[in-house]
Amino acid sequence: MEPVVIIQDGARRDENALTWAAAHAQLMRTGLEVHRPQDDFRARLVVVGFRGRGALAMPAPARCDTVVVRGTTAAVDSRHRHVTALVSGGPGDGRVLRHAADYARLRGAKLRVLHAVAPSPARHGADTDHGHVLARATAALGGFAHRAVLVHAQPHEAITRCTDTDLIIVGAGNAHECGTVTRAALHHAPCPVLVVRQPVLETFDGRFAVPERHRALGARPIVTSTA
């Protein structure tokens, strides 16, 4: 089983990222390794610390899901017992939801599925226009207990209100850059953010086809240490 990997850039030791990663590795019953950004490694999850608006970057070598550890101490320590999945209505929502259900189950947490709709004075009936996004999310979860929430706000506004959340889960956007919602989560979330890597996405008859688990790609670790 691939380990959880901590990325340390050498500038400073990020205690929050180390604390979060160590706790998660224990829950997953897997190993924990520390690498530099330039290392080749194989991982099931990469954990990085938040460096501020101007310095935040997803580690390019990581061909797997990534957690950016930020937010309040309570959230980093998983005291709220809530996981929030951000859905956009796109085919990538299926994978986000599967991960969210897995994390909620693993942590014994409640699951919230959140869809933010930017208000527009030129349009009315947003519930009618966007309620199907949450309906599809409910279908994709296949009976997993959750609370579906439609918020009339900009994504960053909705995200900052998630003050009772230990982990926000969001898709990675396209292959070239983070999407708007992903960037909003990375810069405004009051808690750690899990960015789900999106492989080839599938849909079937208008419903989400949740991809099976995959193995992360990469070379053997060349620098490891025990956290």
Side-chain angles (χ1 to χ4, degrees):
M1 181 181 293
E2 291 102 346
V4 173
V5 166
I6 289 276
I7 298 294
Q8 294 284 314
D9 61 12
R12 64 184 176 89
R13 182 180 174 93
D14 193 312
E15 296 296 340
N16 281 344
L18 287 167
T19 297
W20 194 96
H24 184 71
Q26 185 174 18
L27 279 174
M28 296 295 295
R29 298 182 179 180
T30 189
L32 181 66
E33 298 179 359
V34 179
H35 287 271
R36 298 166 299 177
Q38 65 268 31
D39 291 343
D40 290 326
F41 55 83
R42 186 169 188 159
R44 64 181 302 146
L45 181 71
V46 166
V47 180
V48 297
F50 182 68
R51 292 291 183 267
R53 285 183 158 226
L56 179 64
M58 304 298 286
R63 296 179 178 273
C64 59
D65 302 335
T66 302
V67 172
V68 179
V69 179
R70 57 164 301 149
T72 66
T73 301
V76 173
D77 291 342
S78 301
R79 298 179 200 168
H80 298 303
R81 294 293 187 266
H82 274 84
V83 170
T84 297
L86 303 182
V87 294
S88 64
D93 285 354
R95 188 169 177 81
V96 168
L97 291 164
R98 179 175 65 75
H99 276 63
D102 285 348
Y103 274 75
R105 186 184 297 109
L106 178 69
R107 294 163 176 265
K110 295 180 179 179
L111 174 60
R112 175 194 295 115
V113 178
L114 177 64
H115 179 51
V117 180
S120 172
R123 297 182 62 187
H124 300 283
D127 285 329
T128 301
D129 292 343
H130 295 271
H132 70 282
V133 174
L134 294 178
R136 291 174 65 193
T138 295
L141 284 167
F144 189 89
H146 68 286
R147 184 163 69 94
V149 180
L150 180 64
V151 177
H152 301 290
Q154 297 291 342
H156 71 274
E157 295 173 331
I159 289 165
T160 57
R161 297 174 190 172
C162 295
T163 56
D164 64 344
T165 296
D166 294 319
L167 183 67
I168 287 177
I169 302 178
V170 65
N174 61 41
H176 304 290
E177 62 179 359
C178 290
T180 301
V181 177
T182 307
R183 289 196 302 271
L186 291 174
H187 289 303
H188 297 282
C191 62
V193 177
L194 168 63
V195 180
V196 177
R197 175 178 174 263
Q198 301 292 343
V200 177
L201 300 174
E202 305 171 22
T203 57
F204 179 74
D205 291 340
R207 294 187 178 184
F208 299 128
V210 181
E212 296 296 326
R213 295 184 181 276
H214 68 286
R215 291 179 61 84
L217 302 178
R220 292 183 61 187
I222 59 175
V223 177
T224 62
S225 65
T226 303

PDB file of all heavy atoms in Angstrom, residues 160-190:
ATOM      1  N   THR A 160     -16.128  30.128   3.004  1.00  0.00           N
ATOM      2  CA  THR A 160     -15.729  30.748   4.276  1.00  0.00           C
ATOM      3  C   THR A 160     -16.754  30.496   5.379  1.00  0.00           C
ATOM      4  O   THR A 160     -16.426  30.616   6.569  1.00  0.00           O
ATOM      5  CB  THR A 160     -15.524  32.265   4.118  1.00  0.00           C
ATOM      6  OG1 THR A 160     -16.728  32.862   3.613  1.00  0.00           O
ATOM      7  CG2 THR A 160     -14.376  32.564   3.167  1.00  0.00           C
ATOM      8  N   ARG A 161     -17.991  30.150   5.021  1.00  0.00           N
ATOM      9  CA  ARG A 161     -19.021  29.876   6.024  1.00  0.00           C
ATOM     10  C   ARG A 161     -18.908  28.461   6.598  1.00  0.00           C
ATOM     11  O   ARG A 161     -19.635  28.134   7.557  1.00  0.00           O
ATOM     12  CB  ARG A 161     -20.402  30.057   5.403  1.00  0.00           C
ATOM     13  CG  ARG A 161     -20.689  31.482   4.926  1.00  0.00           C
ATOM     14  CD  ARG A 161     -22.021  31.546   4.202  1.00  0.00           C
ATOM     15  NE  ARG A 161     -22.214  32.828   3.539  1.00  0.00           N
ATOM     16  CZ  ARG A 161     -23.214  33.097   2.706  1.00  0.00           C
ATOM     17  NH1 ARG A 161     -24.130  32.163   2.457  1.00  0.00           N
ATOM     18  NH2 ARG A 161     -23.314  34.279   2.130  1.00  0.00           N
ATOM     19  N   CYS A 162     -18.042  27.634   6.043  1.00  0.00           N
ATOM     20  CA  CYS A 162     -17.927  26.247   6.494  1.00  0.00           C
ATOM     21  C   CYS A 162     -17.041  26.165   7.732  1.00  0.00           C
ATOM     22  O   CYS A 162     -16.026  25.438   7.770  1.00  0.00           O
ATOM     23  CB  CYS A 162     -17.357  25.383   5.378  1.00  0.00           C
ATOM     24  SG  CYS A 162     -18.417  25.244   3.929  1.00  0.00           S
ATOM     25  N   THR A 163     -17.415  26.886   8.761  1.00  0.00           N
ATOM     26  CA  THR A 163     -16.588  26.976   9.963  1.00  0.00           C
ATOM     27  C   THR A 163     -16.719  25.761  10.871  1.00  0.00           C
ATOM     28  O   THR A 163     -15.969  25.641  11.846  1.00  0.00           O
ATOM     29  CB  THR A 163     -16.947  28.244  10.761  1.00  0.00           C
ATOM     30  OG1 THR A 163     -18.352  28.233  11.048  1.00  0.00           O
ATOM     31  CG2 THR A 163     -16.603  29.499   9.975  1.00  0.00           C
ATOM     32  N   ASP A 164     -17.657  24.856  10.560  1.00  0.00           N
ATOM     33  CA  ASP A 164     -17.816  23.647  11.370  1.00  0.00           C
ATOM     34  C   ASP A 164     -17.258  22.427  10.651  1.00  0.00           C
ATOM     35  O   ASP A 164     -17.580  21.292  10.992  1.00  0.00           O
ATOM     36  CB  ASP A 164     -19.291  23.418  11.702  1.00  0.00           C
ATOM     37  CG  ASP A 164     -20.127  23.156  10.456  1.00  0.00           C
ATOM     38  OD1 ASP A 164     -19.646  23.443   9.334  1.00  0.00           O
ATOM     39  OD2 ASP A 164     -21.267  22.676  10.595  1.00  0.00           O
ATOM     40  N   THR A 165     -16.418  22.650   9.655  1.00  0.00           N
ATOM     41  CA  THR A 165     -15.930  21.572   8.800  1.00  0.00           C
ATOM     42  C   THR A 165     -14.463  21.250   9.087  1.00  0.00           C
ATOM     43  O   THR A 165     -13.650  22.154   9.255  1.00  0.00           O
ATOM     44  CB  THR A 165     -16.102  21.956   7.320  1.00  0.00           C
ATOM     45  OG1 THR A 165     -17.496  22.088   7.027  1.00  0.00           O
ATOM     46  CG2 THR A 165     -15.516  20.910   6.392  1.00  0.00           C
ATOM     47  N   ASP A 166     -14.135  19.960   9.121  1.00  0.00           N
ATOM     48  CA  ASP A 166     -12.754  19.521   9.315  1.00  0.00           C
ATOM     49  C   ASP A 166     -12.015  19.344   7.994  1.00  0.00           C
ATOM     50  O   ASP A 166     -10.790  19.418   7.951  1.00  0.00           O
ATOM     51  CB  ASP A 166     -12.725  18.179  10.050  1.00  0.00           C
ATOM     52  CG  ASP A 166     -13.255  18.286  11.466  1.00  0.00           C
ATOM     53  OD1 ASP A 166     -12.937  19.283  12.139  1.00  0.00           O
ATOM     54  OD2 ASP A 166     -13.987  17.378  11.891  1.00  0.00           O
ATOM     55  N   LEU A 167     -12.761  19.087   6.922  1.00  0.00           N
ATOM     56  CA  LEU A 167     -12.136  18.831   5.633  1.00  0.00           C
ATOM     57  C   LEU A 167     -13.101  19.213   4.518  1.00  0.00           C
ATOM     58  O   LEU A 167     -14.261  18.808   4.533  1.00  0.00           O
ATOM     59  CB  LEU A 167     -11.772  17.344   5.507  1.00  0.00           C
ATOM     60  CG  LEU A 167     -11.044  16.918   4.236  1.00  0.00           C
ATOM     61  CD1 LEU A 167      -9.635  17.515   4.183  1.00  0.00           C
ATOM     62  CD2 LEU A 167     -10.967  15.385   4.151  1.00  0.00           C
ATOM     63  N   ILE A 168     -12.618  20.004   3.567  1.00  0.00           N
ATOM     64  CA  ILE A 168     -13.372  20.319   2.358  1.00  0.00           C
ATOM     65  C   ILE A 168     -12.775  19.513   1.220  1.00  0.00           C
ATOM     66  O   ILE A 168     -11.551  19.462   1.051  1.00  0.00           O
ATOM     67  CB  ILE A 168     -13.327  21.828   2.044  1.00  0.00           C
ATOM     68  CG1 ILE A 168     -14.217  22.597   3.029  1.00  0.00           C
ATOM     69  CG2 ILE A 168     -13.766  22.106   0.608  1.00  0.00           C
ATOM     70  CD1 ILE A 168     -14.181  24.096   2.841  1.00  0.00           C
ATOM     71  N   ILE A 169     -13.632  18.872   0.438  1.00  0.00           N
ATOM     72  CA  ILE A 169     -13.185  18.036  -0.669  1.00  0.00           C
ATOM     73  C   ILE A 169     -13.703  18.631  -1.964  1.00  0.00           C
ATOM     74  O   ILE A 169     -14.888  18.940  -2.101  1.00  0.00           O
ATOM     75  CB  ILE A 169     -13.681  16.593  -0.500  1.00  0.00           C
ATOM     76  CG1 ILE A 169     -13.174  16.033   0.839  1.00  0.00           C
ATOM     77  CG2 ILE A 169     -13.222  15.718  -1.659  1.00  0.00           C
ATOM     78  CD1 ILE A 169     -13.632  14.637   1.146  1.00  0.00           C
ATOM     79  N   VAL A 170     -12.807  18.804  -2.938  1.00  0.00           N
ATOM     80  CA  VAL A 170     -13.143  19.481  -4.183  1.00  0.00           C
ATOM     81  C   VAL A 170     -12.366  18.839  -5.318  1.00  0.00           C
ATOM     82  O   VAL A 170     -11.300  18.244  -5.110  1.00  0.00           O
ATOM     83  CB  VAL A 170     -12.816  20.996  -4.066  1.00  0.00           C
ATOM     84  CG1 VAL A 170     -11.324  21.227  -3.912  1.00  0.00           C
ATOM     85  CG2 VAL A 170     -13.376  21.788  -5.232  1.00  0.00           C
ATOM     86  N   GLY A 171     -12.888  18.944  -6.546  1.00  0.00           N
ATOM     87  CA  GLY A 171     -12.186  18.424  -7.714  1.00  0.00           C
ATOM     88  C   GLY A 171     -11.009  19.309  -8.084  1.00  0.00           C
ATOM     89  O   GLY A 171     -10.907  20.468  -7.672  1.00  0.00           O
ATOM     90  N   ALA A 172     -10.118  18.772  -8.904  1.00  0.00           N
ATOM     91  CA  ALA A 172      -8.881  19.475  -9.241  1.00  0.00           C
ATOM     92  C   ALA A 172      -9.029  20.468 -10.382  1.00  0.00           C
ATOM     93  O   ALA A 172      -8.095  21.198 -10.680  1.00  0.00           O
ATOM     94  CB  ALA A 172      -7.794  18.460  -9.598  1.00  0.00           C
ATOM     95  N   GLY A 173     -10.176  20.510 -11.049  1.00  0.00           N
ATOM     96  CA  GLY A 173     -10.289  21.361 -12.233  1.00  0.00           C
ATOM     97  C   GLY A 173      -9.807  20.608 -13.454  1.00  0.00           C
ATOM     98  O   GLY A 173      -9.758  19.383 -13.475  1.00  0.00           O
ATOM     99  N   ASN A 174      -9.382  21.348 -14.500  1.00  0.00           N
ATOM    100  CA  ASN A 174      -8.927  20.665 -15.700  1.00  0.00           C
ATOM    101  C   ASN A 174      -7.449  20.319 -15.593  1.00  0.00           C
ATOM    102  O   ASN A 174      -6.799  20.547 -14.585  1.00  0.00           O
ATOM    103  CB  ASN A 174      -9.208  21.501 -16.953  1.00  0.00           C
ATOM    104  CG  ASN A 174      -8.489  22.845 -16.929  1.00  0.00           C
ATOM    105  OD1 ASN A 174      -7.329  22.944 -16.518  1.00  0.00           O
ATOM    106  ND2 ASN A 174      -9.163  23.886 -17.379  1.00  0.00           N
ATOM    107  N   ALA A 175      -6.905  19.776 -16.669  1.00  0.00           N
ATOM    108  CA  ALA A 175      -5.526  19.281 -16.637  1.00  0.00           C
ATOM    109  C   ALA A 175      -4.494  20.389 -16.554  1.00  0.00           C
ATOM    110  O   ALA A 175      -3.336  20.146 -16.235  1.00  0.00           O
ATOM    111  CB  ALA A 175      -5.265  18.426 -17.885  1.00  0.00           C
ATOM    112  N   HIS A 176      -4.889  21.628 -16.857  1.00  0.00           N
ATOM    113  CA  HIS A 176      -3.919  22.715 -16.960  1.00  0.00           C
ATOM    114  C   HIS A 176      -3.961  23.682 -15.784  1.00  0.00           C
ATOM    115  O   HIS A 176      -2.965  24.322 -15.474  1.00  0.00           O
ATOM    116  CB  HIS A 176      -4.138  23.490 -18.258  1.00  0.00           C
ATOM    117  CG  HIS A 176      -4.083  22.612 -19.473  1.00  0.00           C
ATOM    118  ND1 HIS A 176      -2.916  22.037 -19.918  1.00  0.00           N
ATOM    119  CD2 HIS A 176      -5.066  22.204 -20.324  1.00  0.00           C
ATOM    120  CE1 HIS A 176      -3.173  21.308 -21.008  1.00  0.00           C
ATOM    121  NE2 HIS A 176      -4.457  21.398 -21.271  1.00  0.00           N
ATOM    122  N   GLU A 177      -5.094  23.818 -15.122  1.00  0.00           N
ATOM    123  CA  GLU A 177      -5.177  24.769 -14.028  1.00  0.00           C
ATOM    124  C   GLU A 177      -6.330  24.417 -13.105  1.00  0.00           C
ATOM    125  O   GLU A 177      -7.232  23.678 -13.474  1.00  0.00           O
ATOM    126  CB  GLU A 177      -5.385  26.190 -14.571  1.00  0.00           C
ATOM    127  CG  GLU A 177      -6.682  26.353 -15.349  1.00  0.00           C
ATOM    128  CD  GLU A 177      -6.887  27.769 -15.860  1.00  0.00           C
ATOM    129  OE1 GLU A 177      -6.013  28.611 -15.588  1.00  0.00           O
ATOM    130  OE2 GLU A 177      -7.900  28.007 -16.519  1.00  0.00           O
ATOM    131  N   CYS A 178      -6.273  24.934 -11.897  1.00  0.00           N
ATOM    132  CA  CYS A 178      -7.364  24.722 -10.952  1.00  0.00           C
ATOM    133  C   CYS A 178      -8.597  25.465 -11.416  1.00  0.00           C
ATOM    134  O   CYS A 178      -8.509  26.545 -11.996  1.00  0.00           O
ATOM    135  CB  CYS A 178      -6.961  25.235  -9.568  1.00  0.00           C
ATOM    136  SG  CYS A 178      -5.705  24.247  -8.750  1.00  0.00           S
ATOM    137  N   GLY A 179      -9.772  24.899 -11.158  1.00  0.00           N
ATOM    138  CA  GLY A 179     -11.004  25.585 -11.466  1.00  0.00           C
ATOM    139  C   GLY A 179     -11.287  26.686 -10.456  1.00  0.00           C
ATOM    140  O   GLY A 179     -10.605  26.818  -9.437  1.00  0.00           O
ATOM    141  N   THR A 180     -12.318  27.470 -10.733  1.00  0.00           N
ATOM    142  CA  THR A 180     -12.664  28.597  -9.874  1.00  0.00           C
ATOM    143  C   THR A 180     -12.986  28.151  -8.453  1.00  0.00           C
ATOM    144  O   THR A 180     -12.526  28.753  -7.481  1.00  0.00           O
ATOM    145  CB  THR A 180     -13.873  29.341 -10.462  1.00  0.00           C
ATOM    146  OG1 THR A 180     -13.540  29.794 -11.777  1.00  0.00           O
ATOM    147  CG2 THR A 180     -14.250  30.533  -9.599  1.00  0.00           C
ATOM    148  N   VAL A 181     -13.776  27.094  -8.322  1.00  0.00           N
ATOM    149  CA  VAL A 181     -14.166  26.617  -6.998  1.00  0.00           C
ATOM    150  C   VAL A 181     -12.954  26.067  -6.256  1.00  0.00           C
ATOM    151  O   VAL A 181     -12.791  26.283  -5.048  1.00  0.00           O
ATOM    152  CB  VAL A 181     -15.274  25.558  -7.102  1.00  0.00           C
ATOM    153  CG1 VAL A 181     -15.625  24.999  -5.730  1.00  0.00           C
ATOM    154  CG2 VAL A 181     -16.528  26.163  -7.748  1.00  0.00           C
ATOM    155  N   THR A 182     -12.072  25.383  -6.963  1.00  0.00           N
ATOM    156  CA  THR A 182     -10.875  24.841  -6.330  1.00  0.00           C
ATOM    157  C   THR A 182      -9.990  25.954  -5.792  1.00  0.00           C
ATOM    158  O   THR A 182      -9.504  25.905  -4.655  1.00  0.00           O
ATOM    159  CB  THR A 182     -10.073  23.991  -7.323  1.00  0.00           C
ATOM    160  OG1 THR A 182     -10.936  23.014  -7.897  1.00  0.00           O
ATOM    161  CG2 THR A 182      -8.915  23.290  -6.637  1.00  0.00           C
ATOM    162  N   ARG A 183      -9.767  26.979  -6.597  1.00  0.00           N
ATOM    163  CA  ARG A 183      -8.953  28.110  -6.147  1.00  0.00           C
ATOM    164  C   ARG A 183      -9.598  28.790  -4.941  1.00  0.00           C
ATOM    165  O   ARG A 183      -8.908  29.189  -3.999  1.00  0.00           O
ATOM    166  CB  ARG A 183      -8.768  29.113  -7.283  1.00  0.00           C
ATOM    167  CG  ARG A 183      -7.860  28.626  -8.399  1.00  0.00           C
ATOM    168  CD  ARG A 183      -7.407  29.775  -9.266  1.00  0.00           C
ATOM    169  NE  ARG A 183      -8.528  30.494  -9.857  1.00  0.00           N
ATOM    170  CZ  ARG A 183      -9.091  30.186 -11.011  1.00  0.00           C
ATOM    171  NH1 ARG A 183      -8.636  29.153 -11.707  1.00  0.00           N
ATOM    172  NH2 ARG A 183     -10.108  30.880 -11.480  1.00  0.00           N
ATOM    173  N   ALA A 184     -10.922  28.930  -4.976  1.00  0.00           N
ATOM    174  CA  ALA A 184     -11.618  29.555  -3.854  1.00  0.00           C
ATOM    175  C   ALA A 184     -11.410  28.746  -2.574  1.00  0.00           C
ATOM    176  O   ALA A 184     -11.166  29.304  -1.497  1.00  0.00           O
ATOM    177  CB  ALA A 184     -13.109  29.684  -4.166  1.00  0.00           C
ATOM    178  N   ALA A 185     -11.492  27.417  -2.680  1.00  0.00           N
ATOM    179  CA  ALA A 185     -11.296  26.573  -1.501  1.00  0.00           C
ATOM    180  C   ALA A 185      -9.872  26.688  -0.975  1.00  0.00           C
ATOM    181  O   ALA A 185      -9.643  26.805   0.237  1.00  0.00           O
ATOM    182  CB  ALA A 185     -11.621  25.120  -1.846  1.00  0.00           C
ATOM    183  N   LEU A 186      -8.894  26.674  -1.872  1.00  0.00           N
ATOM    184  CA  LEU A 186      -7.497  26.715  -1.445  1.00  0.00           C
ATOM    185  C   LEU A 186      -7.142  28.027  -0.766  1.00  0.00           C
ATOM    186  O   LEU A 186      -6.282  28.072   0.112  1.00  0.00           O
ATOM    187  CB  LEU A 186      -6.583  26.488  -2.649  1.00  0.00           C
ATOM    188  CG  LEU A 186      -6.624  25.073  -3.250  1.00  0.00           C
ATOM    189  CD1 LEU A 186      -5.800  25.022  -4.528  1.00  0.00           C
ATOM    190  CD2 LEU A 186      -6.118  24.046  -2.257  1.00  0.00           C
ATOM    191  N   HIS A 187      -7.799  29.107  -1.157  1.00  0.00           N
ATOM    192  CA  HIS A 187      -7.447  30.412  -0.609  1.00  0.00           C
ATOM    193  C   HIS A 187      -8.357  30.889   0.519  1.00  0.00           C
ATOM    194  O   HIS A 187      -7.979  31.793   1.263  1.00  0.00           O
ATOM    195  CB  HIS A 187      -7.453  31.463  -1.726  1.00  0.00           C
ATOM    196  CG  HIS A 187      -6.319  31.310  -2.696  1.00  0.00           C
ATOM    197  ND1 HIS A 187      -4.999  31.323  -2.311  1.00  0.00           N
ATOM    198  CD2 HIS A 187      -6.316  31.140  -4.036  1.00  0.00           C
ATOM    199  CE1 HIS A 187      -4.222  31.170  -3.375  1.00  0.00           C
ATOM    200  NE2 HIS A 187      -4.991  31.049  -4.425  1.00  0.00           N
ATOM    201  N   HIS A 188      -9.552  30.309   0.652  1.00  0.00           N
ATOM    202  CA  HIS A 188     -10.509  30.848   1.618  1.00  0.00           C
ATOM    203  C   HIS A 188     -11.009  29.839   2.642  1.00  0.00           C
ATOM    204  O   HIS A 188     -11.709  30.232   3.585  1.00  0.00           O
ATOM    205  CB  HIS A 188     -11.717  31.431   0.879  1.00  0.00           C
ATOM    206  CG  HIS A 188     -11.390  32.583  -0.012  1.00  0.00           C
ATOM    207  ND1 HIS A 188     -11.177  33.859   0.458  1.00  0.00           N
ATOM    208  CD2 HIS A 188     -11.225  32.641  -1.366  1.00  0.00           C
ATOM    209  CE1 HIS A 188     -10.898  34.668  -0.561  1.00  0.00           C
ATOM    210  NE2 HIS A 188     -10.917  33.955  -1.675  1.00  0.00           N
ATOM    211  N   ALA A 189     -10.692  28.583   2.506  1.00  0.00           N
ATOM    212  CA  ALA A 189     -11.239  27.572   3.421  1.00  0.00           C
ATOM    213  C   ALA A 189     -10.716  27.757   4.841  1.00  0.00           C
ATOM    214  O   ALA A 189      -9.541  28.052   5.041  1.00  0.00           O
ATOM    215  CB  ALA A 189     -10.894  26.175   2.922  1.00  0.00           C
ATOM    216  N   PRO A 190     -11.568  27.552   5.835  1.00  0.00           N
ATOM    217  CA  PRO A 190     -11.145  27.624   7.240  1.00  0.00           C
ATOM    218  C   PRO A 190     -10.668  26.273   7.765  1.00  0.00           C
ATOM    219  O   PRO A 190     -10.642  26.043   8.969  1.00  0.00           O
ATOM    220  CB  PRO A 190     -12.427  28.070   7.946  1.00  0.00           C
ATOM    221  CG  PRO A 190     -13.514  27.437   7.147  1.00  0.00           C
ATOM    222  CD  PRO A 190     -13.040  27.438   5.719  1.00  0.00           C
TER     223      PRO A 190
END
